[in-house]
Amino acid sequence: MELVLWMIWFGTWLFGAVRFELYIMHMFQQNSYKPREYREWMQVTGNIGRLLGKTLYAFISLPLLAVGNVGCLIAACLMNALTILVNKPHQAKKPLVYTPRVKRMLITTGILFVIGMSISVLWKEKAFWACSLILSILFILMPILVLLVNLINHPMEKGIDQYYINDAARILKEMPDLTVIGVTGSYGKTSVKYFLSKLLSVQFSVLHTPGNYNTTLGVVRTIREQMKSFHEIFICEMGAREVGDIKEICDLVHPAYGIITSIGPQHLQSFHTIENVIATKFELADAIPADGKVFLNYDNAYIRGHKTEKQVVSYGTSEEDTAYRAYDISVSREGSAFKMKDKEGLEYEFHTRLVGNHNVQNIAGAIAVANTLGIPMEKLIFPVKQLESVPHRLQLIKQGNRTILDDSYNSNKSGFMAALDTLAMFEDLRILMTPGMVELGDKQYDENKEAGIYAHDKCDYAVLIGREQTKPIQDGLSEAGFAKQRMIVVDTLEEGFQMVNAIPGEKPKVILIENDLPDNYA
């Protein structure tokens, strides 16, 4: 009887352990495989509670195993069943990707568990009990065990990464006529990358890094898998979470031109200070050769106030002294219109289906680069008209009698406020839906509260996702005099849409979805 119960216990334990291990691996991947960011994630109060909840029943089963009689073994099996239940996979916004690295980490984890099981034979007649005890302890320590696994695999991963980096460098070396354009910024870089690719494609064969392939290895993968001998321009998006990240990419691709789209207090948990953010973004400018140019968004005070010795081409919408300025901007449900002048002072009018001042700002940056690289302004009018919203970056979506402004990819204060300005331009019933901003370190409360204060006259209703997460925004709205009955606080995005549907009124609704937290904040 006891042997059967041990077998049942092991089977249920294994099922729960696999579920929990995949959850932990998912969180490690969401934190970019970076131990420091993962440790900071574990230390967040809500995540501590979540991890305790997922391991609680495994912890309770330990004393039951220690007693070891039939009744306690049955109870331990029931604890395993509850462990399986609380670790049931949820619908992830970005599911775990079984990359070769993840597979190697899972194999190493399995080896550590096998070693733990093997040690139990030292207990001889109590081997079953010892095995169960060791496995339960390893289960509970799994959030920390993933760091040990990463450390064990580090030399192998570093060697594999270096092989791929060297191979990408070889490919670039064999293309001496290729022009590389680096794009970075706290926000706007992905939009500028796509817009610039469309505009330059009028005259050149262009390759750009897809999606969010903005890390060194993402760039390496793009080069190795997509770079062809006929490509003339490579637009390389460069992301960063730590000082030196952009320099590392620049040392690989050697950009001739660079665009810095924005700088703001983003990822302060890893950067710690805004000065570190500025220095890191300007690593791109530092890498530009003397005969190259760096395109700077002069609407951004951090960029405008930072000196560089490189040749600068400025762009924007607000500063009069910029080389490429979009002005006379108008916005409707059909999109935006604006005017720009070329280097000779000739005026051109542009129309786009995109809405929002910062979309116009990003298009102005793309026009500045394309025109500087030799494409006449008149040849850019039609491709600007054909530009489409980058998914989840103030993307205009019409759904019957309502309009969605999907700005759910990440968020920062400047982008948040720009999106609110766009929402305010509509005459429809204006609804803000947001969980607030994250990764702002000790500025998180103040930045979110300021966004709440700014939002009070830009929306008619505020649907806030997460009761504790959005407390600063609630405080900001209340302080600014926003009507409490128009502030709706819910737990999930799905509940938020249900409440939006229930809001009365005959006017069409326009809903701004500002930020959608990744799975490690869900």
Side-chain angles (χ1 to χ4, degrees):
M1 179 65 177
E2 286 191 9
L3 179 60
V4 173
L5 286 173
W6 282 114
M7 297 296 290
I8 293 172
W9 180 92
F10 181 76
T12 53
W13 174 88
L14 185 62
F15 192 16
V18 169
R19 279 190 165 181
F20 186 49
E21 169 63 13
L22 292 178
Y23 169 77
I24 293 298
M25 197 61 66
H26 187 201
M27 295 302 100
F28 192 59
Q29 188 178 74
Q30 288 276 298
N31 284 282
S32 306
Y33 304 110
K34 294 189 175 181
R36 186 177 72 178
E37 292 187 18
Y38 174 75
R39 287 195 299 269
E40 289 173 348
W41 171 83
M42 282 200 301
Q43 292 166 9
V44 174
T45 303
N47 295 332
I48 292 172
R50 189 174 294 115
L51 290 171
L52 289 174
K54 288 179 175 293
T55 57
L56 175 64
Y57 299 110
F59 181 79
I60 293 173
S61 73
L62 277 176
L64 297 172
L65 286 171
V67 176
N69 61 39
V70 171
C72 287
L73 283 173
I74 292 172
C77 290
L78 290 174
M79 291 301 104
N80 284 349
L82 290 171
T83 299
I84 292 170
L85 186 63
V86 297
N87 283 285
K88 180 181 178 182
H90 67 285
Q91 186 65 40
K93 299 163 190 171
K94 185 178 179 183
L96 173 66
V97 180
Y98 289 90
T99 62
R101 179 170 183 168
V102 167
K103 291 175 183 177
R104 289 190 290 268
M105 290 187 71
L106 290 173
I107 290 170
T108 303
T109 303
I111 291 171
L112 290 178
F113 274 90
V114 169
I115 291 172
M117 292 171 64
S118 302
I119 292 173
S120 65
V121 300
L122 298 174
W123 275 262
K124 297 179 181 177
E125 67 275 2
K126 292 190 175 182
F128 278 131
W129 175 84
C131 179
S132 304
L133 192 63
I134 290 170
L135 291 178
S136 294
I137 292 171
L138 288 173
F139 182 103
I140 294 166
L141 295 177
M142 212 177 288
I144 300 170
L145 191 66
V146 71
L147 295 172
L148 175 61
V149 169
N150 184 66
L151 184 63
I152 292 170
N153 284 11
H154 180 70
M156 175 174 60
E157 297 297 339
K158 190 174 181 181
I160 292 170
D161 291 349
Q162 194 58 54
Y163 168 79
Y164 290 140
I165 290 170
N166 292 342
D167 191 48
R170 175 192 59 79
I171 293 170
L172 292 175
K173 193 173 182 180
E174 293 173 355
M175 300 181 67
D177 297 328
L178 180 72
T179 298
V180 178
I181 303 172
V183 184
T184 194
S186 297
Y187 45 92
K189 55 184 176 292
T190 302
S191 295
V192 170
K193 173 186 69 178
Y194 279 116
F195 298 161
L196 181 58
S197 181
K198 291 290 186 183
L199 300 191
L200 289 178
S201 294
V202 170
Q203 192 164 304
F204 303 100
S205 177
V206 181
L207 172 67
H208 64 260
T209 49
N212 295 319
Y213 280 36
N214 59 16
T215 64
T216 300
L217 292 180
V219 173
V220 165
R221 184 173 178 181
T222 303
I223 294 168
R224 296 182 70 246
E225 295 180 0
Q226 300 185 34
M227 184 71 71
K228 306 298 179 186
S229 59
F230 55 77
H231 284 128
E232 299 171 280
I233 293 178
F234 177 40
I235 303 173
C236 180
E237 181 179 345
M238 301 178 179
R241 286 179 177 266
E242 296 178 352
V243 175
D245 283 353
I246 290 175
K247 181 181 184 302
E248 184 176 83
I249 300 174
C250 289
D251 288 345
L252 169 66
V253 301
H254 303 293
Y257 301 93
I259 314 167
I260 303 179
T261 63
S262 60
I263 292 177
Q266 196 172 27
H267 300 312
L268 287 182
Q269 282 183 333
S270 52
F271 279 117
H272 301 296
T273 67
I274 188 65
E275 288 75 22
N276 285 340
V277 178
I278 295 169
T280 302
K281 300 306 178 185
F282 270 86
E283 288 172 0
L284 173 57
D286 296 339
I288 301 301
D291 59 346
K293 290 182 175 67
V294 59
F295 296 81
L296 301 180
N297 175 12
Y298 266 28
D299 288 351
N300 185 280
Y302 293 117
I303 294 175
R304 194 171 62 249
H306 190 83
K307 302 299 180 185
T308 177
E309 300 300 320
K310 302 301 168 71
Q311 294 186 61
V312 171
V313 178
S314 58
Y315 70 90
T317 61
S318 59
E319 296 297 311
E320 293 285 347
D321 60 344
T322 54
Y324 288 87
R325 185 173 76 90
Y327 56 94
D328 289 351
I329 302 169
S330 60
V331 177
S332 70
R333 293 186 70 175
E334 303 306 315
S336 305
F338 60 94
K339 294 176 182 177
M340 286 185 74
K341 293 180 180 179
D342 62 12
K343 288 175 285 188
E344 283 72 41
L346 297 175
E347 185 179 77
Y348 298 85
E349 185 169 334
F350 293 89
H351 295 266
T352 175
R353 288 176 285 186
L354 310 185
V355 295
N357 185 76
H358 65 294
N359 264 326
V360 173
Q361 185 185 87
N362 291 334
I363 294 171
I367 289 173
V369 178
N371 187 238
T372 300
L373 266 61
I375 302 179
M377 288 289 237
E378 58 267 24
K379 288 186 68 174
L380 297 173
I381 293 173
F382 182 72
V384 166
K385 194 172 185 178
Q386 296 301 112
L387 290 176
E388 297 180 355
S389 296
V390 179
H392 314 304
R393 291 166 173 85
L394 208 62
Q395 182 181 10
L396 185 67
I397 304 170
K398 294 181 180 179
Q399 295 179 342
N401 198 37
R402 72 181 186 183
T403 302
I404 303 289
L405 289 175
D406 183 355
D407 200 36
S408 60
Y409 180 81
N410 218 328
S411 191
N412 54 84
K413 189 175 72 174
S414 298
F416 199 148
M417 291 180 172
L420 286 168
D421 288 338
T422 303
L423 179 66
M425 293 178 180
F426 286 82
E427 296 180 357
D428 304 346
L429 188 67
R430 304 162 305 172
I431 302 168
L432 167 66
M433 187 184 296
T434 183
M437 299 172 283
V438 296
E439 295 185 347
L440 296 174
D442 56 7
K443 293 188 175 182
Q444 186 147 317
Y445 179 88
D446 292 338
E447 297 282 300
N448 277 288
K449 183 179 179 181
E450 190 174 337
I453 293 171
Y454 192 78
H456 86 279
D457 61 347
K458 305 292 190 299
C459 60
D460 301 306
Y461 285 86
V463 180
L464 306 177
I465 316 297
R467 299 180 190 281
E468 291 303 317
Q469 172 71 28
T470 60
K471 187 68 168 58
I473 297 179
Q474 297 172 45
D475 292 345
L477 286 167
S478 298
E479 185 177 305
F482 193 76
K484 198 161 188 178
Q485 64 269 27
R486 290 176 176 262
M487 197 188 310
I488 303 168
V489 184
V490 296
D491 293 317
T492 66
L493 190 66
E494 289 74 20
E495 289 180 56
F497 273 111
Q498 290 172 10
M499 297 304 295
V500 166
N501 293 335
I503 292 174
E506 296 182 0
K507 290 175 68 176
K509 297 172 183 175
V510 56
I511 307 157
L512 170 62
I513 304 175
E514 185 61 27
N515 203 9
D516 185 13
L517 298 186
D519 294 288
N520 48 322
Y521 287 94

